[in-house]
Amino acid sequence: MLWVKAIHIIAVVCWFAMLFYLPRLFVYHAMSDDQNTKNQFKIMERKLYWGIGLPSLWLTIIFGVWVTTYAWDYYTASTWFWIKMALVAILVVYHHVCGYFIRQLRDNLCTKSHVFFRWFNEVPTVILLACVFLVVVKQPL
């Protein structure tokens, strides 16, 4: 069981690396006026999303579900667990919204400013803080 939990934690760390860095790339992409620089951001964004983000998302979910199977009755009876699951669902949506912005930026259709992306970049930080406190304290905030 511990190796399953370890892989879950590693996948979460990798997923959050993408969730933190990709919107920061959006900030710089939105600020750029140079087409060559924008093209480089398009490559970086695509590789980060598909090469790190998506595999990490799937590993996080697969190994997270696996961990819960060891004590399913405990988890399903815990309020903190369901709050955390709601936050994870929000992160999955956020992940896919990032994919939407990649397509918008790739096709030069994105109208969002770098200021928007600076605020957008804070969403996973807030959710991470809430999830860590929920998991460690095992009580709703």
Side-chain angles (χ1 to χ4, degrees):
M1 176 187 159
L2 291 179
W3 68 270
V4 174
K5 189 181 282 189
I7 294 172
H8 174 65
I9 292 168
I10 292 165
V12 169
V13 169
C14 293
W15 187 31
F16 267 93
M18 188 282 298
L19 292 173
F20 289 150
Y21 189 53
L22 184 60
R24 179 54 48 182
L25 289 177
F26 295 162
V27 170
Y28 301 139
H29 191 149
M31 290 175 61
S32 177
D33 293 324
D34 177 60
Q35 191 57 48
N36 287 333
T37 303
K38 286 184 178 194
N39 290 340
Q40 185 62 42
F41 281 125
K42 291 175 186 182
I43 293 167
M44 294 167 66
E45 291 158 358
R46 185 188 78 244
K47 287 184 176 185
L48 182 59
Y49 184 83
W50 292 102
I52 295 173
L54 205 58
S56 298
L57 165 65
W58 281 109
L59 289 173
T60 296
I61 291 170
I62 290 166
F63 284 90
V65 169
W66 193 345
V67 166
T68 63
T69 64
Y70 291 113
W72 184 249
D73 292 336
Y74 164 73
Y75 287 116
T76 57
S78 301
T79 303
W80 69 267
F81 174 76
W82 292 111
I83 295 169
K84 181 186 163 217
M85 289 301 94
L87 292 171
V88 170
I90 292 168
L91 282 175
V92 171
V93 170
Y94 181 90
H95 178 104
H96 291 290
V97 170
C98 285
Y100 168 79
F101 284 131
I102 286 173
R103 290 187 300 280
Q104 290 285 300
L105 289 162
R106 177 197 66 203
D107 297 338
N108 299 315
L109 299 174
C110 187
T111 59
K112 303 295 184 193
S113 72
H114 67 93
V115 175
F116 168 84
F117 286 121
R118 287 179 195 279
W119 285 103
F120 181 73
N121 190 37
E122 300 306 321
V123 172
T125 304
V126 173
I127 294 175
L128 175 64
L129 291 171
C131 286
V132 168
F133 278 110
L134 285 167
V135 170
V136 171
V137 178
K138 305 240 187 301
Q139 295 293 323
L141 300 175

